[in-house]
Amino acid sequence: MAARGSSAARREPHRRPEPQRRPAQQRRKPVQSQQRRPARQSVVIPFPVPERQPVKRPRRRPLSREEAQRRQQARLRQQALEEEGRELARGPIDLPFCLLVLLLMAIGLVMLLSASFPSAYYNTKNNDPTYWFVRQAVFAVMGVAGMLFIGKINYRRLRGLAKTLLYVSIFLLIFVAIPGNPFAVTVKGATRWIGVGELFSFQPSEIAKMAIVIYFSDSISKKKDLMRSFRYGILPYASLLLVTAGLVAIEPHLSGAILILGVGAALMLVGGINWAWVFGAMGAAAGMLYFALFVVGYNTSRIQYWLNPWADMRDKGYQLSQSLITIGSGGLLGVGLGKSRQKFLFLPEEHNDFIFAIICEELGLIGASVIMLLFAALILRGYWIALHARDRFGSLLVIGVTTLIAMQTFLNIGVVTGLLPTTGISLPFFSYGGTALSIQLAEMGVVLSVSRQMKPTRAG
């Protein structure tokens, strides 16, 4: 049995013993009704944030007793200067300068009425001979009120308006040069005005002149010795002058560009630039003037008929030839106030650019000389105020304003008398132009404001 069993065991294939399975009751874990697996909770691992180290500021060195005293003295000195400025700002205005301005303005209104009533009667809609005079008188009253108001304001406040006024003037000059601009007014081929119909118009170049004066005075008064360098004393101001004068010249308005360049150069010269740059600028200005007068077609005919207006006195040389006839007919004593014959539509622009010719005809050489002496007295008094100004900023302001008046007067009289080529430039306080008169009187208010704070003098 044993052998049989052993052979049978050999014949059967070898089988792996089956693993013993646990009963189902033993495989399953007993469910515990009372103990439940806790719900998974998200664990937030904090990112390591470096602690902020307190900024260690360098400890100030304790002031010594002498330094503390010096700072206290400087603070007291500054307070005393401010208090002195407030006191001086309430001082009296320069009476001679104010009287000269009012006298020139009054004579200008009378001469405007005398020179303009024929053209106002024939050229206005309602045939009103006092049309130009009434409008000018209204602006004169507004200008005098503005002059007295500005004269009471401390001129140092203009420092804060320097950049804003400059940016506004440049924007207006660009605005008037935009082609197809409905607000731009074109007269005789020149687009120099911004206006709304016949109600109101003004020249942006008038604002640009005053903006240049205020900005240059403010900037130059802060630099002092830096004005001798090219980087700080020449480059920024020359660039600004070229941009502003270039925008005025493309209107075209050659006389306005000359005034802007001239007043800017005068302020730079007084500000302390090197004289070598002055002579170089004069040469460059002469070259630009030659180009503008003899090369550009707009001005070439003016030069030709300026040298010989009688060559074509019926067309190109008509205005200058009539001006010379008007001046010559006045003689020594003139034909009398209001008795001019050339103003009856013979002389163009008799109430504007060529009003000085009517003065010569009606008041004669003596009357015209008296008016020129009044202008000379006003200009000299302005420079006298500039010499006695309280600070550098005030001195530069008065020099700029007075130089504008001096250049404009000289250019206008030079054009009327044939000394200079014909350009559209008005005579201050006399020529028709409401906004121009108001701005000129406002400029006189700036001079009066500076005169309130003049240094005390023994005589003058």
Side-chain angles (χ1 to χ4, degrees):
M1 294 295 291
R4 193 181 299 170
S6 59
S7 59
R10 276 191 221 104
R11 285 195 297 266
E12 292 179 358
H14 179 71
R15 295 180 180 178
R16 293 182 179 179
E18 296 181 359
Q20 296 180 358
R21 299 182 178 179
R22 295 180 182 180
Q25 296 179 354
Q26 294 181 1
R27 286 201 306 267
R28 297 177 181 174
K29 293 182 179 181
V31 179
Q32 297 180 1
S33 60
Q34 296 181 355
Q35 296 181 359
R36 295 181 179 178
R37 180 181 296 179
R40 290 185 179 181
Q41 297 180 356
S42 60
V43 179
V44 179
I45 301 176
F47 185 81
V49 178
E51 296 182 359
R52 289 186 177 181
Q53 297 294 334
V55 179
K56 294 182 180 180
R57 297 180 179 178
R59 298 183 61 183
R60 295 182 178 179
R61 180 179 60 84
L63 297 176
S64 62
R65 184 175 181 181
E66 291 78 7
E67 291 177 343
Q69 289 179 352
R70 284 197 298 270
R71 290 194 176 186
Q72 182 66 18
Q73 291 175 358
R75 195 178 301 110
L76 293 175
R77 194 181 305 112
Q78 183 66 24
Q79 293 177 358
L81 289 174
E82 293 177 358
E83 183 64 26
E84 182 184 4
R86 285 191 290 267
E87 291 294 331
L88 290 173
R90 292 191 288 266
I93 61 176
D94 188 71
L95 190 58
F97 186 87
C98 183
L99 291 178
L100 286 169
V101 171
L102 295 177
L103 182 59
L104 283 170
M105 186 198 68
I107 298 175
L109 287 175
V110 173
M111 293 308 305
L112 178 68
L113 175 61
S114 175
S116 66
F117 74 85
S119 62
Y121 178 79
Y122 289 109
N123 296 327
T124 55
K125 294 181 179 179
N126 299 326
N127 301 113
D128 183 7
T130 62
Y131 179 79
W132 308 118
F133 170 75
V134 171
R135 290 174 63 92
Q136 188 82 342
V138 171
F139 280 100
V141 173
M142 295 170 54
V144 170
M147 178 183 72
L148 297 178
F149 175 75
I150 295 175
K152 291 185 177 181
I153 299 176
N154 191 346
Y155 66 91
R156 294 189 176 186
R157 295 183 179 180
L158 295 176
R159 287 184 180 271
L161 298 176
K163 289 185 177 180
T164 303
L165 189 61
L166 181 66
Y167 296 153
V168 169
S169 64
I170 293 177
F171 170 76
L172 292 176
L173 290 174
I174 297 174
F175 180 73
V176 76
I178 297 176
N181 184 0
F183 297 100
V185 180
T186 303
V187 178
K188 296 181 179 180
T191 308
R192 305 174 184 174
W193 295 266
I194 294 177
V196 181
E198 298 181 357
L199 181 63
F200 177 76
S201 63
F202 69 96
Q203 294 189 35
S205 58
E206 295 291 337
I207 301 177
K209 296 173 192 175
M210 196 58 198
I212 289 293
V213 170
I214 296 176
Y215 179 78
F216 274 42
S217 301
D218 175 44
S219 180
I220 292 174
S221 63
K222 298 175 182 177
K223 292 187 177 181
K224 296 182 180 180
D225 294 337
L226 291 176
M227 288 298 296
R228 298 188 65 85
S229 64
F230 176 79
R231 180 179 179 183
Y232 298 102
I234 302 294
L235 184 60
Y237 303 109
S239 303
L240 187 58
L241 283 178
L242 290 177
V243 170
T244 309
L247 290 173
V248 174
I250 64 176
E251 294 179 354
H253 190 10
L254 180 61
S255 58
I258 292 174
L259 288 174
I260 290 175
L261 290 174
V263 72
L267 289 174
M268 292 168 64
L269 178 61
V270 176
I273 63 174
N274 197 335
W275 277 92
W277 297 111
V278 176
F279 292 116
M282 292 176 62
M288 293 175 61
L289 187 62
Y290 175 83
F291 178 81
L293 294 178
F294 295 95
V295 178
V296 179
Y298 171 73
N299 300 298
T300 304
S301 61
R302 297 192 177 197
I303 298 300
Q304 294 175 356
Y305 296 104
W306 162 59
L307 298 175
N308 186 15
W310 313 107
D312 190 10
M313 60 178 300
R314 294 182 179 273
D315 188 12
K316 300 295 184 181
Y318 178 79
Q319 191 172 31
L320 182 55
S321 61
Q322 290 296 321
S323 176
L324 296 178
I325 292 173
T326 306
I327 294 173
S329 62
L332 183 63
L333 299 177
V335 298
L337 183 63
K339 297 181 180 180
S340 168
R341 295 180 292 269
Q342 290 294 113
K343 65 186 177 185
F344 286 92
L345 306 184
F346 290 102
L347 176 65
E349 301 293 336
E350 78 288 341
H351 64 287
N352 200 345
D353 297 345
F354 282 79
I355 193 173
F356 187 75
I358 303 297
I359 294 173
C360 294
E361 184 183 12
E362 295 188 350
L363 305 182
L365 177 62
I366 295 178
S369 299
V370 170
I371 290 177
M372 287 190 290
L373 287 176
L374 290 176
F375 272 111
L378 179 72
I379 294 166
L380 291 176
R381 191 66 184 183
Y383 285 130
W384 185 88
I385 294 173
L387 288 175
H388 296 83
R390 183 167 174 260
D391 56 5
R392 186 177 172 87
F393 175 61
S395 179
L396 290 171
L397 269 180
V398 178
I399 288 173
V401 171
T402 308
T403 302
L404 271 178
I405 297 296
M407 291 180 60
Q408 196 164 345
T409 303
F410 173 76
L411 289 176
N412 178 268
I413 296 177
V415 166
V416 171
T417 57
L419 180 64
L420 298 173
T422 304
T423 55
I425 189 166
S426 59
L427 183 64
F429 310 116
F430 281 77
S431 297
Y432 174 76
T435 54
L437 178 62
S438 300
I439 293 175
Q440 288 164 5
L441 291 173
E443 294 170 355
M444 300 302 103
V446 173
V447 178
L448 293 178
S449 176
V450 176
S451 71
R452 287 182 178 273
Q453 303 188 35
M454 283 193 306
K455 298 176 183 178
T457 56
R458 294 183 180 178

